[in-house]
Amino acid sequence: MTEGSTAVPGTAGDRSPLPTTAAEARAQVQDLLDTHPEAPSRMVINDILLVTSELVTNALRHGGGLTAFHVAREPDGLRVAVTDRSPDLPRTSASASSHDPAGRLGGFGWPLIQRLSRSVTITPAPPGKTIEAVLAYDLPAL
């Protein structure tokens, strides 16, 4: 996969443009889910789209911008990888919520990503990092 591209394995080299918003990333994931032979439940799809949105929003808001986006189907789930320009690791606010310098409410996304994902890994990708979430096609155990 080249920087700035979206590669969707199994689609013969499909290259979609790098999403510039969380909505564009969700649309790319939804397009991939629409091709799934046995679609997950609407609740699972909503969780997958929510995690996608949080990962991309965090990269745009806190990570210096999105440099790569990759989504791939797996036998039991979906893998979403987001690369940004910041080496800083995600963190949860000391309080249940926080305000960024622009006054926006925040602090809920990272715990949500961790809770809804089967696994989350962070890998250095100089100058930044890649955060990869694997989401199951069935509901997570709460």
Side-chain angles (χ1 to χ4, degrees):
M1 178 173 69
T2 60
E3 185 172 306
S5 68
T6 302
V8 181
T11 58
D14 181 7
R15 296 276 187 232
S16 300
L18 182 67
T20 59
T21 65
E24 288 177 9
R26 286 191 310 270
Q28 288 182 21
V29 170
Q30 183 67 63
D31 288 347
L32 181 62
L33 290 170
D34 288 345
T35 66
H36 193 280
E38 294 180 29
S41 72
R42 188 71 237 170
M43 185 179 287
V44 169
I45 290 171
N46 288 342
D47 286 351
I48 290 170
L49 296 176
L50 178 59
V51 168
T52 300
S53 187
E54 288 295 334
L55 287 170
V56 171
T57 298
N58 288 347
L60 295 171
R61 190 180 282 181
H62 307 293
L66 189 67
T67 60
F69 177 77
H70 181 79
V71 58
R73 279 196 313 250
E74 296 193 340
D76 297 324
L78 195 78
R79 181 176 304 271
V80 179
V82 171
T83 304
D84 65 33
R85 290 183 171 88
S86 173
D88 297 338
L89 299 177
R91 58 187 164 85
T92 304
S93 302
S95 65
S97 66
S98 66
H99 291 279
D100 71 4
R104 296 174 292 210
L105 186 63
F108 302 102
W110 184 239
L112 192 72
I113 290 165
Q114 293 174 307
R115 179 73 173 198
L116 294 176
S117 301
R118 182 187 316 143
S119 67
V120 179
T121 57
I122 302 171
T123 307
K129 67 187 167 302
T130 297
I131 300 178
E132 186 174 78
V134 178
L135 299 116
Y137 286 144
D138 55 357
L139 292 173
L142 298 177

